[in-house]
Amino acid sequence: MANAEELSPSALAGELSAAIVQARSDAREDPFGNPVLRVTLWLTRKMDRGEVTLADTAALIRQLGRAALADRAARVASYVGLERDEAEAYAALARRVAEAASASAQPFEAYGAALARVRFAAVFTAHPTFGMSRAVAHALAELASNEGEAAALMAADLSFRPDAAITLQDEFEQARFSVRNARDAIDRLNAAFLAEARARWPQRWRELKPRALLLASWVGCDTDGRTDIGWWDTLRYRLESKRGQFFRLLEKLPEAPATAEVRTLVAAALAAVERQLSLCPPLNSKPEIAALQAFSLALVGEREAALPDASRLLAALDKAIVLAEDEATTEALVLARAGVIAHGVSIALPHFRLNASQLHNAMRGVIFLDEEPAQPAQRRAFLAAVNQALAKAKPTPVDFGALAVERASAARMMMMVAQIVKHVDGSRPVRFLIAETETGYTLLSALYLAKRFGIADLVEISPLFETSDALEQGPRIIDEALRSPHWRDYLKRHGRLCVQFGYSDSGRYIGQVAATFWVERLRSRILELLQRYGLTEIELVIFDTHGESAGRGAHPDSLKDRLAYLDPEWPRRAFARAGVKVTRETSFQGSDGYLLFGTKGLAGATVARIGEAVFADAAGGADDPIYAEPDFATEFFQTVREEMTHLVDDPGYAALIGTFGPSLLDKTGSRPAARQSDAGGPAVIRHPRELRAIPNNAILQQLGWLANSVHGIGQAAARAPELFANMRESSERFGRAYRLAAHAMANSDLDVLRAYLDTLDAGSWFDRARRTEKEGRRDELLAVAEALAQLDLAPSLRRLFWRFASDRLKLKEAAGEPPAMPVRLVALHTLRLALLHRIWLSATHIPDFRPHAGVTRELLLERILRLDMSGALALLGEIFPLNPDPALGLDFGEPPGPREGGAYAAFHRDVVEPMRACFALLREISGAIQHEIGAFG
């Protein structure tokens, strides 16, 4: 037995790291070996000998995870530029805007106009990326910004897993916390704009109404792919947002004679909202019609008291600004007015989202055509029919009774939006996002429903282009809508065209590096369409919906690079030359995205970097050489796309991510990870489309090969290696895209991937069985091998590995040795493999049993091979009950006979509980790996 010093986490971590370094070095002389499996076997033998216990393993994981969290905190601080002084950054930005305005004939008016135009919106979404607990997320933010003690990270029971149950309410509360920090940071930025104006135009600064930066959220408003959010739940969240705005106003406005009227108005409105909320049905409930009626009566009856829009509040603020007697009070009032102009009577603007198919279903009672509207032979018929319907559309009054009984989800959402802008907040148009838009008919259908319910002027309809086909067909889709005079009139009334680009599905299907090229291409095509239809006077709103990982579109170098990656210079200059104003919007998703607003310091730095990006000169900058080589760019990104398309359809790829990949992940949001599965036990993933994009990408992270960001680049580079090398060095656009891929390469390792693939190969277990000397181990290894042989995964997985290795070798020839995976990350993988192997070896000791609820021993072993441990352990508890005989020790009037109770105690102690403990540690490693990489999914 090793001594206590050797078992300390630090000593064990050092020993493990040294073993990895040595194994990697030896691999240069032994190309047939795998250094990762070698270290895994070394760990397994130490565990067998009792030199490393499960308690030691838990302590080691905690040691490695803490180090990963500390490094992540430092990266987050550097990412947002936290080392720069916030006040100086804000002041410099204000000076830059003022100096640009000074060239105008009317400098103050130019300065005011520059600040009054919306330039950017940060959108807080509830994508399932809540991969760490709320306590760890807050502590990580505190550590990154050196605010607070980050005590949770030093807790003896520190866990890297997410909270056990994540509800929509949890997501809303976390988003609200970050929104409050973001609103405060925007106030500080606006205060810098006011200070600059006060110095230059001391008599007029009070007139300013800055709203360059906005906040929005779709938490509680996103029904794409889910049916668990009732319309009353969404109304609750909009009322909560309203309450947050009123509470914030009372908090920020000083008690002074000038503010008395405003404070009284807001306090009365807040009380009315509280009364409305008190009658809102509980979340996730199925309320009776009487409860919905009572809630509806409160919304209607308290409508005016609760301020249904910002008009009365803005009038009161304008009056108060005139009455204010000191600059501090005046500034507080001007900032409050700016916040209300930007966000109405909500703390953040709402984004509603549904799926195109929901809209099509809602139109079946209007458009009597049986085929699908996206089919080529039917597109014109559907477009003609919806245009005829639009010509005849008349507004229909909406009431809560009709909303309560409406069955079509799209019509119900549009009716709900109508009631929200009528009774909750009608200050600004709300966004209506449509996922999987594949035809202009979808946009015109949304417009028809908006006209039908009388809110066409209060809804901003926005298509989402994310799939490979949508990115390719996007120009055609928009063109189909623009051919309609109804759609063109709608855009002219709004003065804006809103579009949304997605990076998760596009990245996983065509490759993240290729996706950015196709998104940029689509931007350029949209500009051509605006010019063709004479619509260059309208504003283009581009919402880039991406995650915080490289695989989901977030550039890893810095927030500055992230914003530049999403908004390339060439199309930005093209829009500027054409006179088309562009508003940028970016998503911040789940706890990873909220982290950038997790403290005052982080929020302030994030807002500063955003401000610097959106106030940059759109027409400036040097020509990028990548645009002088359009053939190279097109061929390069098309090659990546083709390689990813072949990969996604490779059966081995589905086996890689689907065999036990989903079981490596805890649930990280309030929505399911799988698109649909009603079967008992683990769903067998036949194609990546059967998983949602985020868990798909998270599984790749956990298996040590970020294929969606790295695959295909080697094949593409090999076609023109010299030009590829030149572009990496000379082109800012191409170089930035390649650096995103290089970050993913640094978190990918062929040896790690091969270790997982060999773990699924029965042959490797047969090889171990041939050579083992441990008593009893041969039978265990043979049992695992035979069970894996039934899955027959090895042939397709070997072909998959050849595909990956070939691409990596070609990239090595073109770009040199790729960055190596950090030793600490390799250590986490080896620990997981050792635990996984131990689970499988333990499972071979499950006794045979009669079929239980249709489950045989062979089927149970397959579930364990797929790491469906929660289901498998529950079944073991039913088949081999541990509970003692309840009759033991009781007097039944006769001498007791022999009892069999407790017969399975040893089985649970030696087999079931060790498997349960190993699986819990395996999930802890998954959490630590996400911190090593820097994001979930």
Side-chain angles (χ1 to χ4, degrees):
M1 184 73 176
N3 60 42
E5 182 180 354
E6 290 175 323
L7 288 178
S8 72
S10 296
L12 198 53
E15 191 177 355
L16 177 56
S17 297
I20 292 169
V21 171
Q22 185 62 51
R24 280 178 155 181
S25 176
D26 293 347
R28 298 187 183 96
E29 303 299 324
D30 179 17
F32 299 104
N34 185 319
V36 176
L37 279 179
R38 171 177 156 179
V39 176
T40 298
L41 184 60
W42 172 80
L43 272 171
T44 301
R45 288 171 175 168
K46 290 179 79 69
M47 290 176 177
D48 289 340
R49 294 192 297 267
E51 296 174 13
V52 176
T53 66
L54 286 182
D56 298 330
T57 305
L60 175 57
I61 294 167
R62 198 167 286 122
Q63 166 94 7
L64 297 174
R66 276 201 184 98
L69 277 166
D71 284 354
R72 183 178 182 182
R75 292 197 305 270
V76 168
S78 174
Y79 190 76
V80 299
L82 199 57
E83 73 282 357
R84 296 175 55 186
D85 183 83
E86 177 190 297
E88 290 181 3
Y90 287 170
L93 184 56
R95 282 195 302 274
R96 185 203 305 172
V97 177
E99 287 167 2
S102 66
S104 171
Q106 296 180 305
F108 177 78
E109 285 73 13
Y111 185 69
L115 301 181
R117 186 173 83 79
V118 177
R119 296 170 182 268
F120 186 93
V123 185
F124 294 80
T125 73
H127 285 80
T129 57
F130 295 87
M132 52 184 148
S133 69
R134 198 185 304 197
V136 167
H138 285 307
L140 181 59
E142 291 174 353
L143 183 62
S145 59
N146 198 25
E147 299 177 52
E149 298 179 356
L153 303 187
M154 299 310 299
D157 60 348
L158 170 65
S159 173
F160 307 112
R161 298 175 69 176
D163 291 315
I166 303 171
T167 66
L168 188 62
Q169 181 65 20
D170 295 325
E171 295 168 349
F172 177 80
E173 290 173 0
Q174 293 186 59
R176 179 172 58 188
F177 179 84
S178 294
V179 164
R180 287 173 176 168
N181 283 338
R183 283 288 302 271
D184 288 346
I186 290 173
D187 274 358
R188 297 195 298 275
L189 173 61
N190 285 341
F193 288 134
L194 297 181
E196 184 69 22
R198 190 159 53 237
R200 293 173 181 261
W201 305 283
Q203 304 303 316
R204 302 193 63 186
W205 66 273
R206 298 166 184 81
E207 301 173 27
L208 292 175
K209 300 174 182 179
R211 59 165 185 166
L213 274 60
L214 304 182
L215 305 179
S217 173
W218 76 31
V219 183
C221 303
D222 174 18
T223 62
D224 176 26
R226 59 191 304 173
T227 59
D228 58 321
I229 303 176
W231 60 263
W232 51 90
D233 295 329
T234 300
L235 275 160
R236 172 186 287 276
Y237 288 126
R238 295 319 306 156
L239 289 172
E240 289 277 9
S241 180
K242 193 172 185 177
R243 177 166 65 178
Q245 176 75 312
F246 291 154
F247 180 85
R248 192 172 184 280
L249 284 167
L250 292 175
E251 180 183 59
K252 300 297 182 182
L253 289 177
E255 294 191 22
T259 64
E261 182 180 335
V262 176
R263 290 181 62 86
T264 299
L265 179 66
V266 172
L270 178 59
V273 171
E274 296 283 8
R275 291 191 293 270
Q276 291 173 330
L277 279 167
S278 69
L279 290 171
C280 184
L283 290 167
N284 301 317
S285 64
K286 300 296 183 184
E288 299 292 333
I289 194 68
L292 294 175
Q293 180 189 27
F295 179 45
S296 302
L297 289 173
L299 289 169
V300 175
E302 297 271 18
R303 177 180 183 275
E304 292 303 320
L307 299 182
D309 59 47
S311 56
R312 288 166 56 199
L313 181 54
L314 287 172
L317 285 166
D318 287 339
K319 180 179 177 182
I321 290 170
V322 174
L323 295 175
E325 298 177 352
D326 60 88
E327 285 198 347
T329 301
T330 303
E331 181 179 282
L333 285 163
V334 173
L335 291 174
R337 180 178 64 185
V340 173
I341 291 172
H343 301 98
V345 290
S346 303
I347 198 167
L349 299 173
H351 278 202
F352 297 88
R353 187 171 79 138
L354 47 58
N355 194 279
S357 62
Q358 294 170 284
L359 274 170
H360 299 167
N361 289 336
M363 293 295 288
R364 294 193 186 280
V366 180
I367 307 296
F368 300 103
L369 295 173
D370 295 331
E371 304 296 331
E372 288 300 316
Q375 290 183 357
Q378 299 296 322
R379 293 179 84 101
R380 289 189 178 184
F382 274 94
L383 289 167
V386 75
N387 271 298
Q388 290 175 6
L390 280 165
K392 301 174 184 177
K394 302 293 182 184
T396 301
V398 179
D399 66 88
F400 284 108
L403 175 59
V405 299
E406 177 59 52
R407 308 310 301 168
S409 57
R412 186 170 60 245
M413 175 174 275
M414 197 68 80
M415 294 168 72
M416 178 183 65
V417 171
Q419 294 300 82
I420 286 173
V421 298
K422 186 197 303 181
H423 296 294
V424 180
D425 188 1
S427 307
R428 292 175 55 87
V430 302
R431 192 67 53 79
F432 194 85
L433 304 165
I434 308 170
E436 299 185 14
T437 302
E438 296 181 353
T439 168
Y441 170 80
T442 304
L443 303 180
L444 298 179
S445 296
L447 179 57
Y448 172 83
L449 290 177
K451 292 185 71 172
R452 174 183 165 189
F453 297 120
I455 55 171
D457 291 339
L458 290 170
V459 172
E460 295 177 335
I461 300 166
S462 173
L464 166 59
F465 300 117
E466 181 167 28
T467 65
S468 176
D469 288 342
L471 291 176
E472 187 75 35
Q473 298 297 322
R476 179 184 180 183
I477 294 167
I478 295 177
D479 186 31
E480 287 175 339
L482 287 174
R483 290 177 187 174
S484 168
H486 307 287
W487 182 256
R488 294 197 300 275
D489 290 344
Y490 163 78
L491 293 181
K492 289 175 182 177
R493 289 198 309 275
H494 275 270
R496 314 176 92 196
L497 168 62
C498 302
V499 295
Q500 181 187 9
F501 299 135
Y503 290 79
S504 296
D505 272 328
S506 59
R508 72 167 169 155
Y509 287 131
I510 67 174
Q512 192 52 245
V513 172
T516 184
F517 171 78
W518 255 266
V519 170
E520 180 177 346
R521 176 177 173 272
L522 182 49
R523 289 182 185 221
S524 299
R525 298 296 184 271
I526 291 173
L527 174 58
E528 293 171 4
L529 287 169
L530 293 177
Q531 292 172 319
R532 184 195 308 170
Y533 285 96
L535 295 173
T536 54
E537 76 282 359
I538 71 167
E539 183 179 24
L540 178 63
V541 180
I542 298 176
F543 178 18
D544 289 304
T545 314
H546 63 87
E548 268 54 48
S549 68
R552 298 184 55 238
H555 202 282
D557 284 1
S558 68
L559 183 55
K560 178 182 177 181
D561 283 288
R562 168 172 164 173
L563 295 168
Y565 179 74
L566 296 170
D567 186 34
E569 188 173 279
W570 190 87
R572 188 169 68 244
R573 291 163 64 184
F575 280 114
R577 287 194 299 269
V580 176
K581 295 179 179 178
V582 177
T583 295
R584 300 167 59 183
E585 297 184 345
T586 293
S587 60
F588 294 89
Q589 301 180 359
S591 53
D592 290 334
Y594 301 169
L595 178 63
L596 301 188
F597 300 89
T599 63
K600 175 183 176 181
L602 288 172
T606 299
V607 166
R609 303 295 85 79
I610 291 171
E612 290 163 356
V614 298
F615 279 104
D617 182 9
D623 291 338
D624 192 307
I626 191 65
Y627 298 105
E629 296 286 351
D631 292 340
F632 166 77
T634 299
E635 183 179 29
F636 183 90
F637 293 116
Q638 181 63 32
T639 300
V640 173
R641 176 177 181 165
E642 290 173 357
E643 290 296 319
M644 276 300 301
T645 299
H646 295 322
L647 173 66
V648 168
D649 290 331
D650 187 328
Y653 191 55
L656 170 68
I657 64 176
T659 301
F660 58 65
S663 297
L664 299 177
L665 309 175
D666 281 301
K667 196 166 184 289
T668 56
S670 63
R671 67 187 299 170
R675 291 285 179 186
Q676 184 178 6
S677 176
D678 298 321
V684 178
I685 304 299
R686 305 292 184 187
H687 193 276
R689 72 171 68 92
E690 296 170 17
L691 277 175
R692 294 188 184 276
I694 292 171
N696 180 118
N697 296 343
I699 290 167
L700 294 174
Q701 292 175 336
Q702 296 298 326
L703 296 178
W705 193 257
L706 279 62
N708 57 336
S709 299
V710 305
H711 187 65
I713 295 176
Q715 300 287 349
R719 297 199 172 195
E722 293 182 0
L723 195 51
F724 167 75
N726 180 53
M727 287 300 165
R728 282 178 56 206
E729 298 298 326
S730 63
S731 166
E732 183 176 358
R733 174 76 175 109
F734 189 82
R736 182 176 283 120
Y738 182 77
R739 292 198 305 276
L740 180 142
H743 170 83
M745 293 173 202
N747 291 294
S748 302
D749 188 291
L750 281 173
D751 289 325
V752 170
L753 174 68
R754 184 64 179 267
Y756 285 111
L757 299 183
D758 285 349
T759 291
L760 289 167
D761 185 348
S764 67
W765 293 84
F766 281 121
D767 286 340
R768 283 181 66 181
R770 287 193 301 116
R771 291 181 171 85
T772 186
E773 298 179 359
K774 178 177 169 60
E775 184 178 353
R777 179 53 54 86
R778 179 172 289 105
D779 290 340
E780 295 174 338
L781 293 167
L782 287 173
V784 173
E786 289 165 0
L788 284 170
Q790 296 300 311
L791 298 182
D792 194 28
L793 299 172
S796 62
L797 290 176
R798 279 196 292 270
R799 287 192 295 271
L800 177 72
F801 184 78
W802 299 336
R803 183 187 292 274
F804 287 144
S806 172
D807 189 72
R808 173 52 69 94
L809 287 172
K810 289 188 176 182
L811 182 60
K812 181 178 178 179
E813 291 178 9
E817 191 69 40
M821 178 181 283
V823 170
R824 189 170 62 212
L825 182 51
V826 177
L828 288 167
H829 284 292
T830 60
L831 280 166
R832 178 199 273 141
L833 283 161
L835 290 166
L836 189 155
H837 291 183
R838 187 166 183 179
I839 289 172
W840 287 0
L841 293 171
S842 296
T844 64
H845 294 279
I846 297 173
D848 202 2
F849 56 85
R850 292 190 302 272
H852 175 84
V855 177
T856 64
R857 183 178 184 274
E858 290 72 22
L859 289 175
L860 181 59
L861 285 176
E862 180 180 339
R863 293 181 71 165
I864 293 174
L865 291 179
R866 295 184 183 278
L867 291 181
D868 176 38
M869 297 306 296
S870 58
L873 292 170
L875 280 170
L876 286 172
E878 296 172 8
I879 298 166
F880 305 104
L882 181 61
N883 294 334
D885 188 337
L888 284 176
L890 297 179
D891 183 3
F892 287 89
E894 297 176 284
R899 294 282 195 272
E900 295 183 0
Y904 302 125
F907 171 68
H908 278 266
R909 182 191 66 233
D910 298 335
V911 177
V912 176
E913 291 310 312
M915 285 198 298
R916 191 188 310 276
C918 286
F919 185 66
L921 293 178
L922 186 149
R923 286 278 181 89
E924 289 287 350
I925 290 171
S926 296
I929 286 175
Q930 73 163 311
H931 294 305
E932 278 284 357
I933 293 174
F936 179 89

